[in-house]
Amino acid sequence: MKRVFGKKKAPGPPPPTLDQASQSLGKRSGNLDAKIDALDKDLAGYKAKLKNCKPSAKRMIQKKAMDVLKRKRMYESQRDQLLGQQFNMDQAAFGIESAQATVESVGAMKAANIELKKALKTNINIDEVDDLADDMEELMYDMNEINEAMGRNFATPDDVTEDDLEAELDMLGDELEEEVEGEEVPSYLLPSNP
């Protein structure tokens, strides 16, 4: 049977991961960038030579510069293709990571949903929660009433207004001025002698 259908192929090495392939493309595009930079330097040298050369040598220098320019364009085209491939690989890797994160999130949400249902069935009675909320509301109302009662000012009667207090303060100020003018100092303003 082996003669008709052939032998099974031996398994080869595993294919590279997307990250490995992306890094490989990054290195290759880096090498192309180095080559392009070298060609740019060559072109700059040819430009300088063209400015200072004799007309008879100008044609030969232009031909060399054109060859360098063609190579530069070829390398740029290859680099752009490699960068496009690298971008596609990075997008695929991002898609895989997003899918894995989504699967993990869904699994966590399912587990949380099951735990929440268990907790609600076994530990919490909705009527008890309503009763507790009502009790808390009543307690808070009682506490507010207590705080209001404790915050009352017992020294001033309720029928005294701020205007009345200001008028009385003005009269006291006038009396003090009269006493100072008469040079009679009230006993409470005298310094105490021990």
Side-chain angles (χ1 to χ4, degrees):
M1 285 280 199
K2 290 182 184 176
R3 292 183 189 162
V4 175
F5 295 108
K7 272 170 104 175
K8 260 189 170 179
K9 291 184 179 179
T17 65
L18 284 176
D19 288 335
Q20 292 170 339
S22 177
Q23 288 175 355
S24 173
L25 288 176
K27 288 179 186 175
R28 288 175 56 196
S29 68
N31 291 340
L32 287 174
D33 282 334
K35 289 180 182 180
I36 290 170
D37 289 342
L39 291 175
D40 281 337
K41 290 178 184 176
D42 290 347
L43 281 175
Y46 286 130
K47 278 185 182 179
K49 286 180 184 178
L50 279 174
K51 288 181 183 177
N52 301 328
C53 75
K54 296 179 183 177
S56 59
K58 193 173 197 177
R59 189 172 197 85
M60 185 176 68
I61 293 174
Q62 282 179 337
K63 186 175 186 312
K64 288 181 182 180
M66 291 296 283
D67 290 340
V68 169
L69 192 58
K70 285 179 187 177
R71 274 191 282 152
K72 179 184 172 192
R73 296 274 162 87
M74 179 186 68
Y75 287 149
E76 287 175 341
S77 173
Q78 290 175 357
R79 180 196 59 195
D80 292 342
Q81 287 176 349
L82 289 176
L83 290 176
Q85 291 174 3
Q86 184 180 17
F87 177 76
N88 290 338
M89 285 185 196
D90 290 342
Q91 287 291 82
F94 178 74
I96 291 170
E97 289 174 8
S98 294
Q100 290 171 345
T102 301
V103 168
E104 290 174 4
S105 297
V106 168
M109 289 174 66
K110 284 181 181 178
N113 189 12
I114 291 169
E115 290 296 318
L116 185 60
K117 285 180 181 179
K118 284 181 187 176
L120 287 175
K121 285 181 182 177
T122 59
N123 298 334
I124 298 176
N125 183 349
I126 294 175
D127 294 331
E128 291 176 2
V129 173
D130 284 339
D131 291 343
L132 179 65
D134 291 341
D135 290 345
M136 288 298 294
E137 185 178 358
E138 287 177 19
L139 287 172
M140 292 304 292
Y141 180 76
D142 292 343
M143 285 302 298
N144 283 338
E145 284 186 359
I146 291 170
N147 287 334
E148 284 178 16
M150 296 299 291
R152 287 186 197 143
N153 190 351
F154 299 112
T156 56
D158 290 336
D159 60 341
V160 176
T161 64
E162 195 171 315
D163 292 335
D164 294 339
L165 293 174
E166 285 181 17
E168 189 173 340
L169 183 63
D170 288 340
M171 285 191 321
L172 282 175
D174 292 343
E175 286 178 14
L176 283 176
E177 286 178 12
E178 288 175 8
E179 288 178 6
V180 169
E181 288 175 7
E183 296 196 26
E184 290 180 23
V185 179
S187 62
Y188 61 87
L189 291 178
L190 291 174
S192 61
N193 293 331

